[in-house]
Amino acid sequence: MRLRTPVIASAAAAVIAALLTAAPAEAASYKLYVKSSRIAISSSGNGSVLVKCSSKSTCKGKVSFTADTGKPRTRKYSVKGGKTTRIAIAMHNNAPVNPHNAAAVAGRDYKSVSNVSVKVDEDKPRNTTHYYKKITTETLVSRQQITGRVTGYGPVLASDIRVDLVKLLRGGNTQLVKGQDISSNGGRFSLAVNLGGANSPSTAYRLRISGKDQDGIRRSWYWRGKDGKPTGGGAHLREAMAVQATKTKDFVADFRYGSISGTTAAGADVTVASPPATYSGGTVVTRELDLPYCANVFGRTEASGSGAYAVTFLPMTSSGNNRYMVGARNSKTQAWYGKDSTRYGSCHDATNYKRSRANLITLTAPVVGKTLGASQSNNTVKVSASFSPRYKPTGQGDRWIRLREKVPNVPVLDAPVVAEGQASASGNRTFKNLAPGRYWVEVGRRTGCSDWYPSKFKDNSLYFKGLDRGSEKWKAFKRLRDLSGNANGGFERIARTVQPNPATGAEQNKIVRGYKGWMYRGYCKAHGAGTVNTMDISGTGRTVTKKTSRNPIGAVVKGRVTRAKGKTNKEIMVRLSSSAGTRVIRTDITDSKGVFYVAGLPSGKWTISVNSDSWRGIGRTFSGRHSITVKAGRGYNVGTLRFKG
């Protein structure tokens, strides 16, 4: 706040004023500056004023109102040098500048008098007197109400409703300050709060409303809006808007809620969700939404045996804060609906994959008769992958097709997997009942795979000793039947049921020529660099054929692993991970001479690790190359990696 120019009570006022324009404030003849432009006065005539002592030494003196009645009421002050603080000031109750004697003004809870003058009579560090004009006095308001009405609309209302006042504390904690039960629909609440000193606003609070929904389950949400203008609610505290009492009047925060009801499949799970009013907060916040990166849930229920459902206690508003979608899950089938009968496959699909609210329900009145079809989509997607003629595509690596939903602002490898499977030798794979939506189509980009491989060692159990790895003994055996248990229990059952690629008696009970047993390793060979395409599906009952781009040959990195003291270097895993993330993309297992070649690498920088699954010993430390930058289609040699384990 700027300091007002005081009026100097001396014959040299003009000279001093000229000096003030040419010198800093500290050079003025007075040292105590009044910073307040408004002073709140209690019913007994007392108040406080904000001042600053611009001297290095303590400022001492008296302050008073010049237009006080009779002999002015003075108050002594003592302010340390360089400090800004509040000091006491007072006036008589019948003074013309006392705001309690002023006329009331419609629409505000305080009275005021303008153009009031304050006298500062300094004793130290200099003996001088000066005045501050154009100050406003106002009646002191110590408390106000945060108040409002709670009104429900529709055939099904919430019960046991309560409104609570919540205070935010440091470190992200909260404090429940006070609350009030609402006795009936349309009932009011009124929560008194203290204002700050000198008529400053109160602490900024949040209002939370809670009540029992149509199923008797207690739910809550937070008020949004401005004073006297409710604009819906937020599912979580971060969406709440501040409510703050001021000297002018009570803060009015009305709550309005409604319901959505209709029919769906008998026993289906019904969810009502709404995108947040704002997506601010970055990736972390959007990931933590109830439906990650998309929306928060405001209500749930289970449809009756006849398929009837109703979800109540939903914030009702015409503003953009709340726009709703209704989802029905019937067994494994999920369908979402907005303002009309269009069926969407996901929350992201309903918001057009760009956080749009255009398709969603504006709840200005209860919605009834909302039909939610939740049968299978009957969409058939035929993916046809093509490969470079420079290599023969492997089944588990190159011909693996994975569909991911194309979630906004989420990297491909972090997007949720919707369906996946191995393509035929000709590169074809059909997916049934795919929901409407937008998808990534990945070919040969599997980030992890495990399968059974023949081993040069008849006994690998040494590497599963100890409590930390004892439960993994099913991963290695001479023949499957040598494991403890049987097809219905024990380690043999685990090996037979592990996913992916469970062991079978027909294969794993035989010993491959030149080998002595079997092992289950996190490894699948691939030669192609992989491709990513996009695909859109709308509606139901559609047949879509997607031809992908050609999967080119990737880079190959060769090398050799050695071990100290003549220890074996057979069947040690070498892994190359993208330096841009932590996901495993390509691996290989050393042969009988410790040689490996990791194929199918897309262009980029890769981190090299040895014995990443701790198969041959415990350690993973090695000397040699730890990273390499490659270009797809080329070959590289990283030389010898000396493993110390």
Side-chain angles (χ1 to χ4, degrees):
M1 183 181 295
R2 295 181 178 178
L3 301 179
R4 288 161 303 286
T5 303
V7 179
I8 309 300
S10 70
V15 175
I16 295 176
L19 289 173
L20 287 175
T21 62
E26 288 76 3
S29 60
Y30 52 90
K31 295 298 181 182
L32 192 82
Y33 288 81
V34 171
K35 299 174 70 69
S36 295
S37 61
R38 309 182 76 88
I39 302 175
I41 302 297
S42 69
S43 58
S44 59
N46 294 308
S48 66
V49 59
L50 188 67
V51 298
K52 178 181 180 180
C53 177
S54 64
S55 172
K56 293 182 180 180
S57 58
T58 300
C59 295
K60 293 185 178 181
K62 298 179 287 293
V63 292
S64 60
F65 289 98
T66 57
D68 202 355
T69 302
K71 182 180 180 181
R73 295 178 65 184
T74 61
R75 290 290 183 266
K76 293 182 179 181
Y77 66 82
S78 177
V79 181
K80 292 182 178 180
K83 297 295 182 180
T84 299
T85 187
R86 285 191 169 274
I87 62 173
I89 193 169
M91 64 174 63
H92 291 99
N93 288 341
N94 60 348
V97 293
N98 192 315
H100 293 274
N101 301 323
V105 177
R108 72 183 191 192
D109 290 349
Y110 70 96
K111 297 186 291 184
S112 65
V113 176
S114 58
N115 294 320
V116 176
S117 178
V118 169
K119 177 182 177 182
V120 179
D121 186 2
E122 295 190 33
D123 295 329
K124 292 182 178 181
R126 296 179 180 179
N127 188 4
T128 185
T129 301
H130 49 97
Y131 300 84
Y132 287 85
K133 295 183 177 180
K134 295 184 178 180
I135 289 177
T136 298
T137 60
E138 56 191 34
T139 53
L140 179 65
V141 181
S142 58
R143 305 191 83 193
Q144 290 283 48
Q145 302 291 322
I146 295 176
T147 183
R149 188 184 302 275
V150 180
T151 308
Y153 299 84
V156 183
L157 300 178
S159 60
D160 295 341
I161 293 178
R162 180 178 177 83
V163 176
D164 290 314
L165 197 64
V166 178
K167 180 181 179 180
L168 299 183
L169 305 177
R170 289 184 178 180
N173 295 320
T174 61
Q175 176 187 356
L176 178 61
V177 178
K178 59 178 65 178
Q180 186 175 335
D181 295 325
I182 307 301
S183 58
S184 61
N185 190 33
R188 298 193 66 88
F189 66 91
S190 189
L191 305 171
V193 296
N194 293 328
L195 267 62
N199 279 3
S200 62
S202 73
T203 297
Y205 300 97
R206 272 67 175 170
L207 279 176
R208 181 181 65 204
I209 186 170
S210 60
K212 292 183 178 179
D213 65 9
Q214 68 288 333
D215 299 321
I217 297 175
R218 193 157 200 88
R219 293 194 287 108
S220 64
W221 43 276
Y222 291 84
W223 183 86
R224 288 185 61 86
K226 297 181 180 180
D227 186 3
K229 297 179 180 179
T231 57
H236 303 293
L237 182 64
R238 68 167 62 97
E239 295 180 77
M241 298 187 77
V243 293
Q244 193 172 28
T246 65
K247 64 187 179 183
T248 300
K249 60 183 182 65
D250 294 338
F251 190 101
V252 179
D254 292 331
F255 288 90
R256 301 170 67 242
Y257 70 88
S259 60
I260 299 176
S261 60
T263 57
T264 186
D269 294 323
V270 178
T271 301
V272 177
S274 175
T278 174
Y279 283 91
S280 63
T283 302
V284 173
V285 171
T286 56
R287 185 176 62 236
E288 293 174 353
L289 298 176
D290 298 337
L291 304 178
Y293 302 100
C294 189
N296 285 315
V297 173
F298 276 84
R300 283 192 171 100
T301 192
E302 181 179 320
S304 68
S306 64
Y309 74 89
V311 179
T312 188
F313 203 43
L314 305 172
M316 203 166 76
T317 177
S318 60
S319 78
N321 287 339
N322 300 104
R323 293 288 186 269
Y324 297 103
M325 64 188 84
V326 190
R329 177 174 288 279
N330 183 22
S331 185
K332 295 182 179 180
T333 303
Q334 175 77 63
W336 289 91
Y337 293 86
K339 62 185 179 183
D340 54 32
S341 59
T342 302
R343 177 171 172 170
Y344 303 98
S346 69
C347 175
H348 302 290
D349 190 27
T351 55
N352 289 332
Y353 291 91
K354 56 183 180 181
R355 297 172 176 171
S356 168
R357 293 172 167 82
N359 300 328
L360 308 185
I361 299 169
T362 302
L363 193 64
T364 54
V367 173
V368 297
K370 184 70 176 175
T371 302
L372 311 175
S375 59
Q376 291 186 334
S377 70
N378 291 324
N379 286 326
T380 299
V381 176
K382 299 178 180 179
V383 178
S384 179
S386 63
F387 305 91
S388 167
R390 296 177 61 187
Y391 66 91
K392 183 179 179 180
T394 62
Q396 294 280 355
D398 296 311
R399 289 191 277 119
W400 194 264
I401 298 177
R402 176 174 281 160
L403 305 183
R404 300 176 183 267
E405 187 173 17
K406 194 176 179 182
V407 178
N409 301 316
V410 174
V412 179
L413 291 178
D414 290 332
V417 175
V418 176
E420 60 182 332
Q422 182 177 313
S424 66
S426 58
N428 297 320
R429 174 78 189 199
T430 299
F431 298 95
K432 299 285 188 179
N433 290 312
L434 200 66
R438 185 168 297 168
Y439 298 95
W440 298 108
V441 182
E442 291 186 307
V443 177
R445 278 170 49 90
R446 203 170 189 182
T447 56
C449 172
S450 295
D451 204 353
W452 294 99
Y453 296 93
S455 174
K456 295 286 185 178
F457 303 92
K458 64 180 180 180
D459 184 4
N460 282 292
S461 60
L462 175 65
Y463 305 105
F464 301 114
K465 285 187 175 181
L467 295 177
D468 57 333
R469 299 199 66 186
S471 61
E472 298 180 75
K473 289 183 178 180
W474 58 268
K475 290 183 176 181
F477 47 78
K478 183 177 181 180
R479 292 181 178 86
L480 179 60
R481 62 175 177 263
D482 295 330
L483 286 174
S484 62
N486 52 44
N488 298 315
F491 283 144
E492 183 178 342
R493 179 181 181 277
I494 296 175
R496 285 179 176 273
T497 57
V498 66
Q499 294 295 332
N501 304 320
T504 65
E507 186 173 6
Q508 275 73 47
N509 271 328
K510 297 179 181 179
I511 297 178
V512 179
R513 179 177 295 182
Y515 293 89
K516 298 180 180 180
W518 290 91
M519 57 182 179
Y520 189 75
R521 306 294 293 272
Y523 157 67
C524 288
K525 200 75 173 181
H527 299 288
T531 61
V532 182
N533 294 262
T534 60
M535 175 181 64
D536 288 341
I537 301 175
S538 60
T540 58
R542 307 290 180 85
T543 298
V544 178
T545 299
K546 178 63 180 179
K547 294 183 178 181
T548 69
S549 55
R550 176 173 289 185
N551 187 353
I553 190 170
V556 175
V557 172
K558 296 182 178 181
R560 183 171 180 262
V561 173
T562 63
R563 296 188 69 191
K565 299 180 181 179
K567 294 181 179 179
T568 181
N569 57 357
K570 302 174 184 177
E571 298 175 7
I572 294 178
M573 180 178 289
V574 178
R575 180 182 73 183
L576 266 68
S577 306
S578 169
S579 60
T582 59
R583 295 180 181 272
V584 177
I585 302 296
R586 298 292 189 242
T587 54
D588 193 22
I589 296 175
T590 58
D591 63 14
S592 59
K593 297 180 180 180
V595 175
F596 65 88
Y597 75 97
V598 179
L601 292 165
S603 300
K605 186 176 181 180
W606 299 84
T607 298
I608 304 170
S609 61
V610 178
N611 196 33
S612 56
D613 61 349
S614 298
W615 192 269
R616 292 284 161 210
I618 303 302
R620 301 182 184 182
T621 303
F622 70 95
S623 60
R625 293 283 297 273
H626 281 72
S627 66
I628 186 171
T629 299
V630 305
K631 186 174 182 179
R634 295 184 179 180
Y636 302 84
N637 194 325
V638 295
T640 300
L641 308 180
R642 295 173 179 85
F643 182 51
K644 299 179 181 180

